[in-house]
Amino acid sequence: LALVTDLQLFGSSNVMLDRVASAINAGVNMVQLRERNLQGAQLLELAKNLRQLTYGKAAFIVNERVDVALAADADGVQIGENGLPIPVVKSIMGSGALCGRSVHDVNGATKACEQGADFLVLGSMFPTETHPGDTPSGLQLMVSTRKEVEIPILGIGGISEVNAAKVMTSGANGVAVIRSILLADDPVQSTKDLVASISP
């Protein structure tokens, strides 16, 4: 269960960090820092805070910024389809770092595997407020991608405890969420519900 950050949902980073901490304690086992609007210094500060929260409890992944990932001692990076080539990322981060790739079709998934991606984040599974107006790819994309690649796949996009199980039965190894946890009335209970819904 991966939790993707979105500081724009909150007036304070402390509020988000509190919710992330609660979610980790309730079962989130990967946290991805994805803050496209933050400058380097702010991003690094947030990354270091998240590294402290995740240390020994959850994998910590930084979106795109290999430099920030290295400086914050992150476990790896998540690279967009138009981001740095995976072999370049691995040469900078070192062989022990995780490198995920965001993909939106089967072709992108197979290319990422050929480049050496450790995992894929595939979507969007369902309509999502993070990308309003985008037509979701749907569960069939997960089914088709699973047939072509063997590495772990996380489904993303509009996923909640209501539909997470469908993503798993379509071939995912896990799910990534934002609002389902960060904006939940009870982040702890929402996390537990999500863990239960994706468990075998």
Side-chain angles (χ1 to χ4, degrees):
L1 176 58
L3 175 58
V4 182
T5 70
D6 188 346
L7 197 54
Q8 290 185 299
L9 298 175
F10 303 95
S12 159
S13 61
N14 289 336
V15 175
M16 186 182 76
L17 288 168
D18 285 346
R19 289 187 161 240
V20 171
S22 296
I24 292 168
N25 291 333
V28 160
N29 49 20
M30 178 183 280
V31 175
Q32 179 187 340
L33 173 60
R34 185 173 74 177
E35 302 294 343
R36 299 185 180 102
N37 298 315
L38 290 186
Q39 297 298 312
Q42 292 174 301
L43 193 65
L44 179 57
E45 182 182 4
L46 186 56
K48 287 182 174 179
N49 286 329
L50 287 167
R51 174 73 285 185
Q52 284 187 324
L53 293 179
T54 55
Y55 193 78
K57 298 178 180 179
F60 176 49
I61 306 294
V62 175
N63 197 60
E64 294 289 346
R65 294 290 300 266
V66 178
D67 54 344
V68 172
L70 281 169
D73 193 29
D75 296 301
V77 287
Q78 174 70 21
I79 303 296
E81 279 191 305
N82 297 315
L84 290 170
I86 292 168
V88 173
V89 173
K90 292 203 166 197
S91 71
I92 298 170
M93 290 288 294
S95 58
L98 293 170
C99 186
R101 176 76 89 179
S102 298
V103 295
H104 304 90
D105 55 41
V106 176
N107 185 49
T110 55
K111 281 185 178 179
C113 286
E114 289 166 3
Q115 285 193 9
D118 296 300
F119 65 94
L120 304 174
V121 178
L122 180 69
S124 295
M125 294 290 101
F126 307 103
T128 169
E129 292 182 50
T130 305
H131 298 287
D134 287 5
T135 302
S137 303
L139 297 172
Q140 186 54 48
L141 174 60
M142 183 64 72
V143 174
S144 302
T145 305
R146 179 77 286 165
K147 290 177 181 175
E148 300 298 326
V149 304
E150 295 183 358
I151 65 173
I153 307 173
L154 303 180
I156 194 170
I159 296 172
S160 69
E161 63 271 16
V162 175
N163 56 30
K166 294 179 181 177
V167 181
M168 299 298 287
T169 55
S170 298
N173 300 93
V175 298
V177 302
I178 304 172
R179 293 166 184 260
S180 295
I181 290 176
L182 291 182
L183 290 185
D185 292 335
D186 186 343
V188 170
Q189 189 58 52
S190 293
T191 300
K192 290 179 177 178
D193 290 344
L194 275 160
V195 170
S197 66
I198 67 174
S199 298

